[in-house]
Amino acid sequence: AVHGLMGAAEDWVGAHVTVHEAGYCTFPLAPFTAQSNELKMRILGLIVSTYGSGKMPEPRELELLAAWVDSGGSRRTLGGAMIVRRKASLLAGREPGRIDATPVAVPPGGEIVWDGRFAVIAPGGAVVVPARELHNLPRRRDIPAFVQQGLPAVTQGGRLLAVPQLGLGTGASARFLPTERR
């Protein structure tokens, strides 16, 4: 029955979860809370592993997270992901404080997978850091603040080249990889 539950969780995620280009997801609370606890735990496991650090949390941690959703808490972190409750939905994204701030060099004319989440294409010599490392970025109101802090920012020679998900700068692109990384 393990495959049955996991398959059901994947189907639920496919049907109800909206993936945003900035690397976070949202899903409606009502259909989620209507599921069995076993299914809720698996749905949360898929979401945390996709939007967090890529690892599946322990069942006990998922049980506590499912209980937290039912209790009406406002935000919680697990497995490198942050889960935020809104009025009628939940939002999950990468916990910015968990992202390694070490600059990652882009090979000449190359593409790198940054933080296991974004395929970044940028000129050789450019480096990628979490957007939280840059201090004067304009705030995009349509993207949650914590999500913006965890976006890939491409710099070159110490100057900002682009934050593709924010539509800032040119010469670089970044594509969120919600599925290929599993």
Side-chain angles (χ1 to χ4, degrees):
V2 171
H3 176 75
L5 266 173
M6 209 56 197
E10 285 170 1
D11 291 347
W12 194 94
V13 166
H16 295 279
V17 172
T18 303
V19 178
H20 300 268
E21 270 300 291
Y24 67 100
C25 75
T26 48
F27 56 101
L29 213 40
F32 176 77
T33 51
Q35 304 310 309
S36 72
N37 210 42
E38 286 294 303
L39 191 56
K40 280 195 253 192
M41 285 168 60
R42 282 169 178 80
I43 291 166
L44 290 170
L46 286 173
I47 286 169
V48 167
S49 65
T50 301
Y51 295 88
S53 56
K55 293 176 195 63
M56 184 61 78
E58 296 296 313
R60 178 75 189 125
E61 296 175 315
L62 291 170
E63 210 174 311
L64 291 169
L65 187 62
W68 168 82
V69 173
D70 291 340
S71 77
S74 62
R75 59 173 48 200
R76 184 99 187 238
T77 59
L78 178 63
M82 187 176 288
I83 298 93
V84 179
R85 172 189 288 272
R86 292 177 156 179
K87 277 194 190 75
S89 64
L90 287 172
L91 184 152
R94 185 79 161 106
E95 185 185 347
R98 289 298 188 91
I99 301 169
D100 186 348
T102 311
V104 180
V106 179
E111 177 173 353
I112 56 159
V113 173
W114 181 79
D115 190 45
R117 298 180 303 136
F118 286 96
V120 178
I121 299 173
V127 295
V128 186
V129 296
R132 67 161 199 262
E133 297 295 299
L134 305 170
H135 298 299
N136 323 332
L137 284 185
R139 228 343 248 120
R140 268 279 295 274
R141 294 282 157 218
D142 57 330
I143 295 175
F146 82 93
V147 170
Q148 176 168 328
Q149 292 174 348
L151 289 175
V154 182
T155 64
Q156 199 167 23
R159 292 186 31 243
L160 176 66
L161 193 62
V163 185
Q165 264 57 28
L166 299 180
L168 282 179
T170 55
S173 70
R175 188 176 83 257
F176 181 54
L177 307 171
T179 49
E180 293 113 288
R181 57 188 291 240
R182 276 212 279 277

